[in-house]
Amino acid sequence: MPKPWLLKLSVQSHTLADTKALGDSLTTDEDIVWSSNNESFTFQLNEHKAKDLRAMWNTRMRGVIAVDSLLTSLVDKSEGSSTKTE
């Protein structure tokens, strides 16, 4: 029986390395499909009930947001340290 609720997301970050990190963060939970040029990826969620789809979406997005925040933090810190003068 097909699952009536489907959500498909395409992801592309600021850099290829960041996009790869975001994709890697989902690989244990989702089947990631990379674009032909490897600049973006998609994944989809399928659930029988809308509330289950919402819960799965929230969980996946929390993970993506956490990785994106970490990547941003690392970039911000490295940029800050390169401008210090002594």
Side-chain angles (χ1 to χ4, degrees):
M1 173 197 237
K3 297 180 180 182
W5 290 95
L6 174 121
L7 186 142
K8 187 173 184 178
L9 179 68
S10 178
V11 178
Q12 182 174 357
S13 191
H14 302 287
T15 67
L16 293 175
D18 287 358
T19 302
K20 173 126 175 54
L22 292 170
D24 289 348
S25 74
L26 291 167
T27 56
T28 58
D29 299 318
E30 299 301 329
D31 291 327
I32 302 299
V33 179
W34 286 94
S35 64
S36 59
N37 59 8
N38 287 327
E39 290 183 357
S40 65
F41 65 88
T42 60
F43 71 95
Q44 67 181 36
L45 302 173
N46 296 280
E47 294 296 332
H48 290 288
K49 297 179 182 177
K51 69 177 186 172
D52 293 339
L53 181 66
R54 181 192 59 78
M56 296 298 285
W57 170 258
N58 287 342
T59 300
R60 299 306 178 264
M61 288 303 95
R62 275 192 225 94
V64 168
I65 290 167
V67 170
D68 184 60
S69 293
L70 175 62
L71 293 170
T72 300
S73 174
L74 293 173
V75 168
D76 290 346
K77 286 182 181 180
S78 69
E79 287 177 356
S81 66
S82 67
T83 60
K84 286 185 180 179
T85 57
E86 295 185 40

